[in-house]
Amino acid sequence: MKRSYLSVGISLALLSLTKPVIADDEAGIEVIKVHGSYFNDYKVDSASGAMRTNASLLETAQAVTVIPETIIDEQLATTLGEVLNNVASLSPGSKQRNREVFSSRGFVLSSSNGYLRDGHQHWSHYQQPIETLSHVEVIRGPSSILYGQSAPGGLINMVTKKPTKNRLFELSADVDQHGSSRLMLDAGGEIVEALNYRGVLVKQDVIYDREYQNGEQRERDRLLGSLSVDYNINENLLINVYYDQTNDKAGLDTGAWLDNSGEVIGNDKTIRDFSWAFTDITVSNVGSRVHYFFNPEWEFKLGYNEQTFERQRFESSPKMPKNYQIGDSYVSKPYDRFDDWQFKTFYVDLVGEFSLASMDHQVLIGVNSLDYYYGQLKTNAAPIDYVPGAVEPSRPDISYKTDDSLYTSEYDYYGLYFQDLVTFNEQWQAVLGGRFDKQNKKGADSDSFVPKLGVLYHPVEEATVYVNYSESFEPASSETLNDDTDVNHGMALDAVTSAQIELGAKWQVSERLLIETALFDIEKSGALIKETLEDNPDYDTITTQAGLQRHKGMELSAQGALTDRLFMMASAMYLEAVYERDTKYQGKTPVDAPKWSVSIWSRYELTEALALNAGVFYQGERYADSDNMVTKDAYARVDLGASYQVDIRGTLVDFRLNIENALDTDYLAGGGINNVTIGDSRAARFEVKASF
């Protein structure tokens, strides 16, 4: 597989630290204290994803959480999962095959439509390069009006670092006790007048604490390069172009196996895949954004992104036998497979403000599209019957390149959308809109219309109470039912739809602290229900789109500064998730949907140079199987951290020590009975960062 890497050329610099400023209150001037630590405030006032334009959270009739770069850096996060731990509404799923799965409000986020990058639909079948991100927005609830087909739980919008006019040069290195390491360069500045850039380069090597049955450690090798350039043609026109590439090769670990009591079968540090199983991914994104301001009130935005995802996956593919016991043999079914995904996205938005009939309007009119292609080559090897403890079998001599057939799947869709935020007076606002969406796919053409309605009430300037109604849709995978013994054989399928009613409140307690709460009720309908017919001479079954899944619950969060020295990001969710009508799982709860989940991360600044961090991440009891026969115990993981900053000959140097799972708690994270993720044991990581 061909590899190409970016090299980033940069100039040196750093903005000086903000120093404490104390005004003279005896002169009648308000006293303002700004601490000059490296860290920024935890609180974020606006988000771009929920309204598809930069909007105040107090004027957004939807639950949105923004995880800022400050917290990402403090936690030394290297994966999106480590970032999303900070939002209790998101539950971790399986991590098998070097990728991560998440659920939002109990609904699994799809790789194809659950993630955005800078507002573009993003194919997320791999661990995201989070070093390129300035922050992550968690948009909860149905959001199809602005982005098209998506799951009812919400969307993850990853916002990338933008070029900067101020010169920036940061070099960092971190290591852990297993020998893992990461080197990162983050640079930016003005190349010539009106031409700015931002570049990131990362080299990471990971050694995991789980090992293969022949004693070898699982490892990962990742290289990331990105470059983004802004050109201000004039005061009204900005053009951005960017490119990034990730190369990520890792040994495979499809997870541990559980018995009927929810206990791990065998040693929880043992990988059942063979040591020669691997996945090798190359992902690139290239695109451009254009912003044109007609005047201060009206803006035109255009964006295009082309994402290419190529992956070789050489599997040993161990299969868990029914009622498996320690020492039993199991079958592995090796194969070599090549996947080629191509994701091309495009949008055009017109955003403006005007007044009409004593009301102010903030209007968004736009169109976006997605062109999807997938191709697969695959070659299978003979099955291997393996007894644990025996010598590991050699890697089969097979290659996907010998496959003379090519499986392909293609579709495209586009959507037209409209949104209007109407301000009636200082207390009342309403947001309304709709989207028409058209999918073109062989045998599965479909079109949908989804509305959105929200009402906001501001009892005081710093508070909002809102209610919203929103919908999402996911086109059915096939236009017809293929079973000719079914009454509705050949029936056209409608899209699976979801509708949510959400009641929420947001209170900006101070300029640095925001508290939010939300009650939600989501119904997902349209799944296929198959019923057996009695005494029908012509048909055996009847299938209808009568399935119903309902998730309802409550969320509470606080984000910002509690005092001048204590900062916190905290959230909790209570969830009741159930299949109310389903052929197989009626009355059951989905996998990895706990009733209670809590996330807390905090920082306390002892001095302007020394800070301490502490975090608690709690997941309640969850089912490991759809039949709700196997339960995973609740767990609470405690993380600790400390940082110290010093000026060494004019260079600011930060030292950071983090201890994840400080109490060395044994726990099971996401995943089911045959692919559960074993929680990492206590791990220490140390980072040095120099800012020139």
Side-chain angles (χ1 to χ4, degrees):
M1 189 178 298
K2 183 179 180 180
R3 295 188 175 189
S4 62
Y5 302 102
L6 296 173
S7 57
V8 182
I10 22 189
S11 305
L12 306 176
L14 178 77
L15 295 173
S16 60
L17 292 176
T18 304
K19 298 298 182 182
V21 176
I22 303 180
D24 185 1
D25 60 344
E26 293 182 359
I29 302 174
E30 181 184 2
V31 176
I32 301 175
K33 296 180 180 179
V34 181
H35 287 277
S37 73
Y38 162 79
F39 305 98
N40 296 318
D41 200 339
Y42 279 30
K43 177 174 168 287
V44 179
D45 295 318
S46 61
S48 60
M51 300 286 283
R52 207 175 173 95
T53 183
N54 196 41
S56 166
L57 294 180
L58 290 178
E59 294 188 324
T60 302
Q62 190 170 1
V64 180
T65 299
V66 181
I67 307 167
E69 188 178 359
T70 295
I71 293 177
I72 297 173
D73 289 344
E74 284 181 355
Q75 295 175 340
L76 298 181
T78 63
T79 70
L80 184 60
E82 293 168 351
V83 177
L84 298 182
N85 278 335
N86 294 290
V87 181
S89 301
L90 295 169
S91 304
S94 169
K95 288 186 179 180
Q96 62 176 331
R97 299 185 174 95
N98 198 30
R99 60 176 290 254
E100 299 174 296
V101 176
F102 312 98
S103 294
S104 179
R105 291 181 171 176
F107 291 99
V108 176
L109 298 176
S110 167
S111 295
S112 61
N113 58 44
Y115 302 84
L116 308 170
R117 198 177 83 155
D118 295 325
H120 284 280
Q121 293 86 345
H122 186 75
W123 179 247
S124 185
H125 215 59
Y126 68 112
Q127 294 196 27
Q128 294 297 319
I130 64 167
E131 294 86 357
T132 65
L133 304 182
S134 66
H135 60 275
V136 176
E137 300 174 352
V138 180
I139 307 163
R140 301 194 288 287
S143 298
S144 283
I145 176 180
L146 298 179
Y147 299 104
Q149 50 189 266
S150 60
L155 293 167
I156 308 299
N157 185 32
M158 298 170 285
V159 182
T160 58
K161 297 174 180 177
K162 300 302 185 289
T164 174
K165 184 176 182 178
N166 298 313
R167 298 170 64 197
L168 168 72
F169 188 92
E170 292 183 346
L171 185 64
S172 65
D174 60 72
V175 296
D176 68 16
Q177 80 269 28
H178 300 299
S180 303
S181 64
R182 179 176 60 163
L183 300 173
M184 183 170 76
L185 175 67
D186 186 358
E190 187 177 55
I191 302 173
V192 296
E193 185 177 359
L195 186 63
N196 307 321
Y197 81 98
R198 187 70 174 268
V200 176
L201 190 63
V202 177
K203 177 66 172 71
Q204 182 184 19
D205 296 290
V206 182
I207 300 175
Y208 296 91
D209 62 351
R210 276 167 56 87
E211 64 179 28
Y212 297 101
Q213 295 174 84
N214 64 355
E216 293 184 18
Q217 293 291 126
R218 181 186 176 220
E219 298 184 7
R220 178 188 179 202
D221 180 12
R222 180 172 69 106
L223 183 61
L224 160 69
S226 73
L227 182 64
S228 180
V229 177
D230 277 352
Y231 181 43
N232 290 279
I233 296 178
N234 54 48
E235 293 182 354
N236 297 327
L237 180 59
L238 170 67
I239 296 179
N240 170 267
V241 293
Y242 59 87
Y243 176 80
D244 66 78
Q245 180 170 305
T246 299
N247 296 118
D248 194 349
K249 184 175 182 178
L252 283 178
D253 180 358
T254 51
W257 297 347
L258 301 180
D259 62 22
N260 292 334
S261 61
E263 299 294 328
V264 177
I265 300 173
N267 189 329
D268 63 3
K269 298 300 182 184
T270 299
I271 301 173
R272 296 194 178 274
D273 302 81
F274 296 137
S275 63
W276 38 260
F278 70 89
T279 179
D280 190 354
I281 296 171
T282 299
V283 187
S284 64
N285 290 275
V286 59
S288 179
R289 292 183 287 265
V290 177
H291 290 253
Y292 180 73
F293 295 88
F294 297 100
N295 53 50
E297 288 77 35
W298 287 92
E299 177 188 5
F300 170 83
K301 298 189 293 184
L302 180 149
Y304 174 79
N305 187 82
E306 184 169 331
Q307 182 183 14
T308 301
F309 181 110
E310 296 180 333
R311 178 184 69 183
Q312 181 187 6
R313 204 170 81 195
F314 201 109
E315 285 263 16
S316 56
S317 191
K319 304 298 181 183
M320 178 183 175
K322 188 175 182 180
N323 300 319
Y324 182 77
Q325 302 292 321
I326 296 177
D328 290 353
S329 65
Y330 61 87
V331 174
S332 288
K333 297 183 177 181
Y335 60 83
D336 188 21
R337 172 172 148 182
F338 179 76
D339 301 293
D340 176 17
W341 280 280
Q342 296 178 26
F343 235 58
K344 298 177 183 178
T345 56
F346 176 79
Y347 69 79
V348 175
D349 288 345
L350 179 65
V351 182
E353 301 178 6
F354 64 92
S355 296
L356 180 66
S358 300
M359 295 180 290
D360 295 329
H361 297 261
Q362 296 179 22
V363 174
L364 165 69
I365 304 171
V367 57
N368 68 344
S369 67
L370 167 67
D371 188 341
Y372 170 94
Y373 168 83
Y374 171 61
Q376 181 192 114
L377 296 171
K378 182 179 178 182
T379 300
N380 297 312
I384 298 172
D385 193 11
Y386 180 72
V387 178
V391 176
E392 179 182 278
S394 59
R395 172 177 162 176
D397 184 18
I398 57 173
S399 171
Y400 70 84
K401 296 178 181 178
T402 62
D403 184 5
D404 57 4
S405 64
L406 176 65
Y407 168 79
T408 62
S409 176
E410 298 180 72
Y411 67 85
D412 63 77
Y413 71 78
Y414 64 87
L416 304 170
Y417 44 88
F418 168 81
Q419 177 180 269
D420 186 9
L421 175 62
V422 185
T423 300
F424 300 99
N425 51 47
E426 292 182 354
Q427 283 76 44
W428 290 96
Q429 292 179 299
V431 59
L432 52 93
R435 175 190 180 94
F436 172 78
D437 194 274
K438 174 68 175 178
Q439 174 176 275
N440 301 303
K441 183 177 181 180
K442 185 177 181 180
D445 287 352
S446 65
D447 54 69
S448 299
F449 176 80
V450 290
K452 177 181 181 179
L453 175 64
V455 178
L456 303 98
Y457 172 64
H458 307 283
V460 294
E461 184 179 356
E462 300 82 11
T464 300
V465 178
Y466 70 89
V467 61
N468 79 32
Y469 174 83
S470 57
E471 294 185 2
S472 68
F473 65 93
E474 300 164 274
S477 60
S478 175
E479 185 181 273
T480 58
L481 302 173
N482 296 319
D483 184 3
D484 59 8
T485 66
D486 192 277
V487 171
N488 289 325
H489 168 65
M491 176 184 68
L493 299 181
D494 296 326
V496 177
T497 59
S498 303
Q500 171 189 265
I501 296 177
E502 178 177 295
L503 174 65
K506 306 180 185 186
W507 180 29
Q508 187 168 278
V509 181
S510 68
E511 291 184 356
R512 295 190 296 168
L513 179 64
L514 179 67
I515 295 176
E516 299 182 71
T517 186
L519 299 172
F520 60 88
D521 190 342
I522 307 173
E523 289 190 350
K524 179 179 179 179
S525 58
L528 297 180
I529 296 289
K530 179 176 288 189
E531 299 173 272
T532 301
L533 296 175
E534 301 291 341
D535 302 323
N536 189 311
D538 301 315
Y539 299 101
D540 298 330
T541 60
I542 180 171
T543 300
T544 58
Q545 287 191 271
L548 180 63
Q549 186 175 344
R550 188 175 185 186
H551 294 205
K552 55 184 179 179
M554 177 183 69
E555 298 165 333
L556 179 65
S557 66
Q559 189 170 351
L562 302 180
T563 70
D564 286 342
R565 295 184 179 273
L566 179 60
F567 299 80
M568 180 175 291
M569 181 174 185
S571 60
M573 179 180 70
Y574 174 76
L575 175 68
E576 291 184 0
V578 65
Y579 293 98
E580 292 194 347
R581 290 196 300 271
D582 191 271
T583 301
K584 294 183 179 180
Y585 306 122
Q586 185 158 327
K588 307 296 184 182
T589 296
V591 172
D592 281 326
K595 280 188 176 296
W596 284 100
S597 53
V598 178
S599 172
I600 302 173
W601 180 257
S602 63
R603 180 182 82 246
Y604 183 74
E605 297 181 349
L606 295 173
T607 69
E608 291 184 11
L610 178 62
L612 302 178
N613 297 99
V616 179
F617 304 97
Y618 172 81
Q619 290 280 308
E621 275 192 353
R622 299 135 294 145
Y623 289 112
D625 66 324
S626 298
D627 291 322
N628 292 180
M629 302 298 292
V630 180
T631 302
K632 295 185 290 186
D633 292 337
Y635 70 88
R637 194 190 81 205
V638 176
D639 292 358
L640 301 175
S643 64
Y644 181 72
Q645 185 183 78
V646 62
D647 189 321
I648 301 177
R649 296 183 178 182
T651 299
L652 292 170
V653 181
D654 292 278
F655 299 93
R656 168 165 289 281
L657 175 65
N658 282 8
I659 301 176
E660 183 180 300
N661 194 8
L663 303 181
D664 204 20
T665 301
D666 293 329
Y667 68 95
L668 300 178
I673 57 175
N674 62 356
N675 62 3
V676 72
T677 299
I678 303 296
D680 293 329
S681 55
R682 182 189 296 119
R685 295 180 63 196
F686 180 71
E687 180 197 50
V688 178
K689 177 189 288 185
S691 302
F692 298 91

